[in-house]
Amino acid sequence: MDLSNLLQSGASAILHNSDQTTNGLDSNELVSALSGLLGGGGGNLHLGALLAKMQQGGLGDIAASWLGSGANAPISPEAVTNLVGSDKIAAFASRFGLSTESAKNAVASALPAMVDKASPNGSLLEEIIGKVGGLGGLPDMVNKFF
């Protein structure tokens, strides 16, 4: 899983979403912003923690669709705010001069694309579960990040 490719996938999803205010943004700036938003410092994205938090928050079916080989289910802008935090959404919006709503929609476009690319045939989920000692270890992992 190449971090740069994942971030580019997220940036591309934002640039091609239905919100015209995000379609003309700079791709390299989006990559940088997504990295910061999702804990990309040091070369690590915290997608596993994000997925675990989705599971705990009742969004497991959405997360599973991103991990599987079928179509990716959408995530609501409100759910995105709950997952990454309103402060991070506000910083993302400010960085690009977007409304908070456009920022939430942008991130809601990027997350499914990034997780899908990171997890061909569910491999990310298997990797996460293996690293945390099975399904029972997911809550402990989440608590380390949030």
Side-chain angles (χ1 to χ4, degrees):
M1 160 176 39
D2 182 313
L3 178 62
S4 177
N5 285 342
L6 293 180
L7 294 168
Q8 284 291 340
S9 179
S12 179
I14 291 170
L15 293 172
H16 296 97
N17 72 15
S18 62
D19 186 340
Q20 297 299 314
T21 63
T22 62
N23 296 157
L25 298 176
D26 180 83
S27 178
N28 291 328
E29 279 296 310
L30 282 171
V31 165
S32 176
L34 286 170
S35 177
L37 184 78
L38 299 173
N44 293 316
L45 288 182
H46 299 299
L47 295 179
L50 180 83
L51 292 169
K53 192 170 183 181
M54 288 177 72
Q55 179 68 33
Q56 288 182 334
L59 302 173
D61 289 344
I62 293 173
S65 77
W66 299 354
L67 292 167
S69 58
N72 292 331
I75 186 167
S76 74
E78 293 73 30
V80 165
T81 302
N82 291 336
L83 288 172
V84 300
S86 57
D87 55 335
K88 289 184 178 183
I89 294 294
F92 187 91
S94 177
R95 181 172 184 165
F96 295 103
L98 299 171
S99 69
T100 303
E101 197 61 33
S102 286
K104 289 190 273 187
N105 286 327
V107 176
S109 298
L111 289 178
M114 293 173 67
V115 172
D116 190 52
K117 186 162 187 79
S119 182
N121 302 316
S123 60
L124 179 65
L125 181 61
E126 292 169 9
E127 178 182 327
I128 292 164
I129 291 171
K131 285 184 179 179
V132 298
L135 289 173
L138 285 175
D140 291 335
M141 181 186 72
V142 171
N143 290 331
K144 290 178 184 174
F145 292 109
F146 299 98

mmCIF file of all heavy atoms in Angstrom, residues 97-121:
data_model
loop_
_atom_site.group_PDB
_atom_site.id
_atom_site.type_symbol
_atom_site.label_atom_id
_atom_site.label_comp_id
_atom_site.label_asym_id
_atom_site.label_seq_id
_atom_site.Cartn_x
_atom_site.Cartn_y
_atom_site.Cartn_z
ATOM 1 N N GLY A 97 -10.338 27.840 1.859
ATOM 2 C CA GLY A 97 -11.355 28.868 1.722
ATOM 3 C C GLY A 97 -12.726 28.304 1.400
ATOM 4 O O GLY A 97 -13.505 28.924 0.679
ATOM 5 N N LEU A 98 -13.012 27.136 1.941
ATOM 6 C CA LEU A 98 -14.286 26.459 1.695
ATOM 7 C C LEU A 98 -15.239 26.679 2.853
ATOM 8 O O LEU A 98 -14.823 26.954 3.978
ATOM 9 C CB LEU A 98 -14.065 24.943 1.564
ATOM 10 C CG LEU A 98 -13.164 24.435 0.453
ATOM 11 C CD1 LEU A 98 -12.909 22.941 0.638
ATOM 12 C CD2 LEU A 98 -13.797 24.701 -0.906
ATOM 13 N N SER A 99 -16.512 26.474 2.582
ATOM 14 C CA SER A 99 -17.472 26.411 3.676
ATOM 15 C C SER A 99 -17.246 25.095 4.416
ATOM 16 O O SER A 99 -16.671 24.148 3.867
ATOM 17 C CB SER A 99 -18.905 26.457 3.127
ATOM 18 O OG SER A 99 -19.204 25.251 2.427
ATOM 19 N N THR A 100 -17.696 25.042 5.646
ATOM 20 C CA THR A 100 -17.573 23.806 6.412
ATOM 21 C C THR A 100 -18.313 22.672 5.710
ATOM 22 O O THR A 100 -17.833 21.536 5.672
ATOM 23 C CB THR A 100 -18.127 24.008 7.839
ATOM 24 O OG1 THR A 100 -17.411 25.081 8.441
ATOM 25 C CG2 THR A 100 -17.961 22.771 8.687
ATOM 26 N N GLU A 101 -19.455 22.983 5.137
ATOM 27 C CA GLU A 101 -20.241 21.961 4.437
ATOM 28 C C GLU A 101 -19.472 21.392 3.244
ATOM 29 O O GLU A 101 -19.443 20.178 3.034
ATOM 30 C CB GLU A 101 -21.592 22.529 3.989
ATOM 31 C CG GLU A 101 -22.611 21.482 3.624
ATOM 32 C CD GLU A 101 -22.976 20.555 4.778
ATOM 33 O OE1 GLU A 101 -22.990 20.977 5.943
ATOM 34 O OE2 GLU A 101 -23.254 19.370 4.504
ATOM 35 N N SER A 102 -18.827 22.266 2.464
ATOM 36 C CA SER A 102 -18.030 21.793 1.330
ATOM 37 C C SER A 102 -16.848 20.954 1.803
ATOM 38 O O SER A 102 -16.493 19.957 1.172
ATOM 39 C CB SER A 102 -17.533 22.965 0.486
ATOM 40 O OG SER A 102 -18.584 23.510 -0.270
ATOM 41 N N ALA A 103 -16.235 21.339 2.906
ATOM 42 C CA ALA A 103 -15.113 20.566 3.453
ATOM 43 C C ALA A 103 -15.580 19.179 3.880
ATOM 44 O O ALA A 103 -14.909 18.178 3.603
ATOM 45 C CB ALA A 103 -14.485 21.305 4.623
ATOM 46 N N LYS A 104 -16.724 19.102 4.553
ATOM 47 C CA LYS A 104 -17.260 17.801 4.978
ATOM 48 C C LYS A 104 -17.563 16.935 3.753
ATOM 49 O O LYS A 104 -17.244 15.737 3.746
ATOM 50 C CB LYS A 104 -18.522 17.972 5.817
ATOM 51 C CG LYS A 104 -18.273 18.547 7.186
ATOM 52 C CD LYS A 104 -19.505 18.478 8.057
ATOM 53 C CE LYS A 104 -20.391 19.665 7.876
ATOM 54 N NZ LYS A 104 -21.511 19.701 8.835
ATOM 55 N N ASN A 105 -18.160 17.529 2.734
ATOM 56 C CA ASN A 105 -18.466 16.783 1.513
ATOM 57 C C ASN A 105 -17.192 16.302 0.823
ATOM 58 O O ASN A 105 -17.156 15.195 0.273
ATOM 59 C CB ASN A 105 -19.301 17.630 0.555
ATOM 60 C CG ASN A 105 -20.734 17.770 1.006
ATOM 61 O OD1 ASN A 105 -21.301 16.873 1.611
ATOM 62 N ND2 ASN A 105 -21.333 18.912 0.724
ATOM 63 N N ALA A 106 -16.155 17.139 0.842
ATOM 64 C CA ALA A 106 -14.887 16.760 0.217
ATOM 65 C C ALA A 106 -14.292 15.541 0.915
ATOM 66 O O ALA A 106 -13.890 14.569 0.267
ATOM 67 C CB ALA A 106 -13.912 17.940 0.256
ATOM 68 N N VAL A 107 -14.255 15.585 2.223
ATOM 69 C CA VAL A 107 -13.688 14.464 2.977
ATOM 70 C C VAL A 107 -14.572 13.223 2.814
ATOM 71 O O VAL A 107 -14.058 12.105 2.701
ATOM 72 C CB VAL A 107 -13.490 14.845 4.459
ATOM 73 C CG1 VAL A 107 -12.987 13.656 5.267
ATOM 74 C CG2 VAL A 107 -12.517 16.021 4.577
ATOM 75 N N ALA A 108 -15.876 13.423 2.757
ATOM 76 C CA ALA A 108 -16.798 12.297 2.542
ATOM 77 C C ALA A 108 -16.579 11.665 1.171
ATOM 78 O O ALA A 108 -16.845 10.471 0.988
ATOM 79 C CB ALA A 108 -18.244 12.754 2.696
ATOM 80 N N SER A 109 -16.091 12.432 0.214
ATOM 81 C CA SER A 109 -15.745 11.891 -1.109
ATOM 82 C C SER A 109 -14.432 11.128 -1.061
ATOM 83 O O SER A 109 -14.271 10.099 -1.720
ATOM 84 C CB SER A 109 -15.606 13.020 -2.134
ATOM 85 O OG SER A 109 -16.793 13.724 -2.308
ATOM 86 N N ALA A 110 -13.488 11.647 -0.285
ATOM 87 C CA ALA A 110 -12.139 11.087 -0.266
ATOM 88 C C ALA A 110 -12.035 9.774 0.515
ATOM 89 O O ALA A 110 -11.340 8.853 0.083
ATOM 90 C CB ALA A 110 -11.166 12.109 0.318
ATOM 91 N N LEU A 111 -12.696 9.694 1.663
ATOM 92 C CA LEU A 111 -12.519 8.525 2.539
ATOM 93 C C LEU A 111 -12.831 7.189 1.862
ATOM 94 O O LEU A 111 -12.005 6.271 1.930
ATOM 95 C CB LEU A 111 -13.332 8.682 3.817
ATOM 96 C CG LEU A 111 -12.829 9.727 4.800
ATOM 97 C CD1 LEU A 111 -13.759 9.799 6.009
ATOM 98 C CD2 LEU A 111 -11.412 9.441 5.236
ATOM 99 N N PRO A 112 -13.985 7.044 1.211
ATOM 100 C CA PRO A 112 -14.259 5.743 0.583
ATOM 101 C C PRO A 112 -13.221 5.380 -0.480
ATOM 102 O O PRO A 112 -12.806 4.226 -0.574
ATOM 103 C CB PRO A 112 -15.641 5.921 -0.052
ATOM 104 C CG PRO A 112 -16.243 7.092 0.622
ATOM 105 C CD PRO A 112 -15.118 7.963 1.069
ATOM 106 N N ALA A 113 -12.792 6.366 -1.254
ATOM 107 C CA ALA A 113 -11.810 6.103 -2.312
ATOM 108 C C ALA A 113 -10.481 5.648 -1.722
ATOM 109 O O ALA A 113 -9.841 4.718 -2.229
ATOM 110 C CB ALA A 113 -11.615 7.361 -3.163
ATOM 111 N N MET A 114 -10.067 6.281 -0.635
ATOM 112 C CA MET A 114 -8.787 5.952 -0.024
ATOM 113 C C MET A 114 -8.811 4.569 0.626
ATOM 114 O O MET A 114 -7.884 3.776 0.451
ATOM 115 C CB MET A 114 -8.410 7.025 0.989
ATOM 116 C CG MET A 114 -8.110 8.359 0.336
ATOM 117 S SD MET A 114 -7.847 9.686 1.536
ATOM 118 C CE MET A 114 -6.328 9.152 2.281
ATOM 119 N N VAL A 115 -9.859 4.285 1.383
ATOM 120 C CA VAL A 115 -9.949 2.985 2.048
ATOM 121 C C VAL A 115 -10.081 1.881 1.009
ATOM 122 O O VAL A 115 -9.443 0.825 1.120
ATOM 123 C CB VAL A 115 -11.119 2.942 3.059
ATOM 124 C CG1 VAL A 115 -11.323 1.534 3.600
ATOM 125 C CG2 VAL A 115 -10.859 3.930 4.196
ATOM 126 N N ASP A 116 -10.869 2.125 -0.032
ATOM 127 C CA ASP A 116 -11.044 1.136 -1.084
ATOM 128 C C ASP A 116 -9.701 0.820 -1.745
ATOM 129 O O ASP A 116 -9.357 -0.338 -1.960
ATOM 130 C CB ASP A 116 -12.045 1.654 -2.115
ATOM 131 C CG ASP A 116 -12.456 0.601 -3.117
ATOM 132 O OD1 ASP A 116 -12.860 -0.494 -2.701
ATOM 133 O OD2 ASP A 116 -12.373 0.886 -4.331
ATOM 134 N N LYS A 117 -8.932 1.851 -2.034
ATOM 135 C CA LYS A 117 -7.629 1.652 -2.669
ATOM 136 C C LYS A 117 -6.652 0.960 -1.720
ATOM 137 O O LYS A 117 -5.828 0.154 -2.148
ATOM 138 C CB LYS A 117 -7.054 2.982 -3.139
ATOM 139 C CG LYS A 117 -5.776 2.834 -3.933
ATOM 140 C CD LYS A 117 -5.490 4.084 -4.719
ATOM 141 C CE LYS A 117 -4.321 3.911 -5.651
ATOM 142 N NZ LYS A 117 -4.643 3.199 -6.864
ATOM 143 N N ALA A 118 -6.751 1.247 -0.436
ATOM 144 C CA ALA A 118 -5.857 0.646 0.552
ATOM 145 C C ALA A 118 -6.196 -0.811 0.836
ATOM 146 O O ALA A 118 -5.391 -1.530 1.408
ATOM 147 C CB ALA A 118 -5.917 1.432 1.863
ATOM 148 N N SER A 119 -7.379 -1.227 0.423
ATOM 149 C CA SER A 119 -7.854 -2.536 0.825
ATOM 150 C C SER A 119 -8.408 -3.355 -0.331
ATOM 151 O O SER A 119 -9.588 -3.676 -0.343
ATOM 152 C CB SER A 119 -8.938 -2.367 1.889
ATOM 153 O OG SER A 119 -9.372 -3.620 2.319
ATOM 154 N N PRO A 120 -7.568 -3.692 -1.287
ATOM 155 C CA PRO A 120 -8.090 -4.572 -2.326
ATOM 156 C C PRO A 120 -8.532 -5.891 -1.706
ATOM 157 O O PRO A 120 -7.764 -6.517 -0.976
ATOM 158 C CB PRO A 120 -6.915 -4.750 -3.295
ATOM 159 C CG PRO A 120 -5.709 -4.300 -2.563
ATOM 160 C CD PRO A 120 -6.160 -3.387 -1.461
ATOM 161 N N ASN A 121 -9.765 -6.241 -1.914
ATOM 162 C CA ASN A 121 -10.352 -7.491 -1.400
ATOM 163 C C ASN A 121 -10.305 -7.623 0.111
ATOM 164 O O ASN A 121 -10.183 -8.717 0.651
ATOM 165 C CB ASN A 121 -9.671 -8.700 -2.050
ATOM 166 C CG ASN A 121 -9.802 -8.664 -3.538
ATOM 167 O OD1 ASN A 121 -10.877 -8.383 -4.071
ATOM 168 N ND2 ASN A 121 -8.707 -8.912 -4.231
#
